[in-house]
């Protein structure tokens, strides 16, 4: 069995009692796909300690989650022990200021938004460019079905013009149930209690639209009510979610949806999530490009084996 060390923060930076987003998105996946995994807590980063752990573990691969706060050129030394990969989001905002500066010290960059020509231009070998989609993680994102007590819900911060848009919903007679700084478990329960959950696409500084990770969280329990975003069409069809260009359009589409059609759309979104948009599906595509010995599996087999309680066929 091959071994992987994943460097990530274990606890949420604003709430030590909650899991970090990295744990929520990636915990438990590579373990299920046939690797022995060591989760190194980057919150306590010390390179000598990390080096010794990677060496003693006899890792074949090292994956570091990028927190965009600097570049560890010392990771070049880890390449004496194993292959080294960076896992990063926010490429459009931070490629020039951060991501491209990692290239001399890693074997590849697993990214969500980057364009291949940027990386090739800046010296990354073509085989080192590894494009991944967001994926639903059944190990951390499942929650039991709840009674729907909220109509429209929104969770998370109110940056990127979100407050103005939420106020427009209220002006037009639609109350929004807001959840800002809850634990991940409580957010899951809140989504499960909601008919619709909102996703706005502007980035924090309102310079472009971007695909948010929540597009693969929400449909497990509610209808995704979202603005258009790059590559959204590669995740869902238009009859599986609601896409709107204005608040007026969002309300109109909600009002026209009968209870029967609501349930049909909800179930279609769930099925697409489980059958095509899990993080098992994404790593199953990426791993053959990292590990030449990896044999692709049927993600549904893994899902049925470990997550049958929640699996939507």
């Amino acid at each position: 069995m091959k071994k992987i060390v994943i460097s990530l923060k274990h606890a949420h930076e604003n709430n030590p009692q909650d899991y970090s987003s990295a744990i929520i998105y990636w915990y438990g996946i590579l373990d299920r796909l046939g690797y022995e995994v060591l989760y190194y807590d980057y919150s306590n980063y010390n390179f000598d300690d990390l080096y010794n752990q990677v060496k003693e573990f006899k890792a074949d691969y090292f994956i570091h989650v990028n927190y965009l706060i600097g570049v560890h050129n010392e990771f070049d030394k880890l390449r004496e022990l194993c292959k080294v990969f960076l896992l990063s989001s926010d490429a459009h905002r931070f490629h020039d200021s951060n991501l491209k500066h990692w290239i001399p010290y890693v074997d590849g960059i697993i990214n969500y938004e980057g364009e291949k020509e940027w990386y090739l231009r800046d010296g990354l070998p073509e085989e080192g460019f590894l494009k991944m989609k967001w994926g639903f993680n059944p190990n951390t994102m499942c929650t039991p079905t709840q009674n729907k007590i909220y109509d429209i819900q929104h969770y998370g911060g109110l940056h990127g013009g979100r407050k103005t848009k939420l106020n427009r919903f209220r002006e037009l007679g639609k109350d929004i149930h807001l959840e800002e700084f809850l634990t991940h478990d409580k957010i899951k329960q809140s989504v499960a209690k909601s008919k619709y959950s909102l996703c706005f696409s502007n980035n924090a500084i309102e310079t472009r639209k971007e695909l948010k990770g929540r597009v693969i969280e929400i449909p497990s329990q509610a209808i995704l009510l979202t603005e258009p975003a790059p590559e959204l069409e590669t995740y869902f069809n238009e009859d599986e979610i609601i896409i709107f260009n204005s608040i007026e359009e969002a309300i109109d589409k909600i009002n026209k949806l009968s209870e029967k059609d609501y349930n049909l759309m909800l179930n279609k979104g769930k099925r697409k999530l489980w059958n095509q948009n899990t993080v098992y599906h994404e790593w199953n595509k990426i791993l053959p490009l990292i590990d030449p010995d990896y044999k692709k599996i049927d993600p549904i087999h893994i899902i049925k084996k470990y997550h049958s309680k929640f699996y939507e066929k």
Side-chain angles (χ1 to χ4, degrees):
M1 180 181 289
K2 288 194 175 181
K3 299 181 179 182
I4 297 177
V5 174
I6 303 178
S7 166
L8 42 64
K9 293 181 179 179
H10 289 188
H12 194 285
E13 58 185 4
N14 296 321
N15 182 358
Q17 306 306 313
D18 198 13
Y19 294 118
S20 69
S21 58
I23 287 287
I24 291 165
Y25 278 107
W26 299 303
Y27 180 79
I29 298 300
L30 295 174
D31 318 57
R32 306 284 200 210
L33 293 176
Y35 293 88
E36 185 176 348
V37 182
L38 172 66
Y39 294 90
Y40 175 82
D41 192 350
Y42 181 63
S43 300
N44 303 318
Y45 176 71
N46 174 280
F47 180 71
D48 290 338
D49 175 58
L50 172 63
Y51 184 91
N52 288 332
Q53 288 199 42
V54 171
K55 185 177 181 178
E56 290 173 11
F57 190 61
K58 297 181 179 179
D60 298 284
Y61 304 98
F62 172 75
I63 299 172
H64 174 67
V65 174
N66 187 15
Y67 289 92
L68 303 164
I69 54 176
V71 175
H72 292 303
N73 56 15
E74 64 269 28
F75 280 8
D76 195 36
K77 188 178 179 183
L78 286 176
R79 297 164 83 184
E80 302 170 357
L81 304 175
C82 61
K83 293 283 188 180
V84 174
F85 295 88
L86 185 71
L87 175 57
S88 187
S89 60
D90 292 312
H92 274 272
R93 283 184 63 192
F94 296 103
H95 177 81
D96 287 330
S97 64
N98 182 271
L99 270 74
K100 72 178 185 182
H101 300 289
W102 284 92
I103 289 174
Y105 313 114
V106 298
D107 294 287
I109 297 179
I110 306 165
N111 69 97
Y112 290 86
E113 297 179 318
E115 302 292 338
K116 182 185 286 188
E117 54 264 33
W118 303 349
Y119 293 88
L120 301 188
R121 176 197 67 203
D122 294 321
L124 186 71
E126 187 168 0
E127 64 271 18
F129 178 79
L130 304 167
K131 188 72 174 284
M132 181 180 276
K133 291 166 56 180
W134 293 108
F136 178 76
N137 185 353
N139 296 289
T140 58
M141 295 180 179
C142 291
T143 194
T145 299
Q146 307 275 345
N147 292 328
K148 301 295 186 187
I149 60 175
Y150 308 123
D151 189 20
I152 306 173
Q153 181 254 30
H154 179 268
Y155 64 90
L158 299 181
H159 52 273
R162 295 176 181 179
K163 186 176 290 187
T164 299
K165 294 173 181 178
L166 292 170
N167 286 337
R168 183 60 179 157
F169 271 101
R170 295 190 179 101
E171 290 170 2
L172 295 173
K174 284 291 185 182
D175 186 42
I176 307 296
H177 179 72
L178 287 181
E179 304 279 19
E180 289 191 61
F181 302 109
L182 297 178
T183 64
H184 183 248
D185 277 344
K186 289 184 178 179
I187 287 174
K188 289 191 298 184
Q189 292 171 28
S190 179
V191 171
K193 293 175 182 177
S194 306
K195 293 184 68 177
Y196 307 91
S197 187
L198 276 162
C199 179
F200 298 114
S201 300
N202 280 352
N203 65 12
I205 57 176
E206 297 189 73
T207 57
R208 67 180 296 272
K209 289 188 178 297
E210 61 187 15
L211 191 77
K212 306 294 185 180
R214 69 180 64 197
V215 302
I216 52 78
E217 297 181 62
I218 290 168
S220 68
Q221 289 290 347
I223 287 180
L224 173 63
L225 182 61
T226 180
E227 293 178 324
E231 302 181 10
L232 181 60
E233 70 281 357
T234 68
Y235 291 77
F236 298 101
N237 297 324
E238 290 191 9
D239 62 344
E240 296 163 340
I241 60 176
I242 292 178
I243 303 172
F244 63 91
N245 290 286
S246 68
I247 308 307
E248 289 80 3
E249 183 183 9
I251 292 175
D252 183 59
K253 287 185 172 181
I254 288 173
N255 288 341
K256 288 180 177 177
L257 206 61
S258 68
E259 183 177 354
K260 178 181 177 181
D261 289 337
Y262 170 85
N263 289 325
L264 183 63
M265 180 177 287
L266 177 66
N267 290 327
K268 282 184 176 181
K270 286 183 180 181
R271 286 195 294 271
K272 177 60 74 68
L273 188 74
W274 281 98
N275 291 316
Q276 293 186 32
N277 292 322
T278 75
V279 72
Y280 289 120
H281 290 84
E282 291 309 305
W283 280 107
N284 196 45
K285 298 172 190 173
I286 291 289
L287 284 169
L289 305 176
I290 293 174
D291 176 3
D293 296 321
Y294 178 77
K295 304 299 182 185
K296 282 192 172 184
I297 52 87
D298 179 2
I300 300 302
H301 173 75
I302 299 292
I303 289 168
K304 287 180 177 178
K305 181 176 180 179
Y306 294 106
H307 311 291
S308 58
K309 179 179 177 181
F310 295 100
Y311 174 53
E312 299 283 346
K313 297 180 181 179

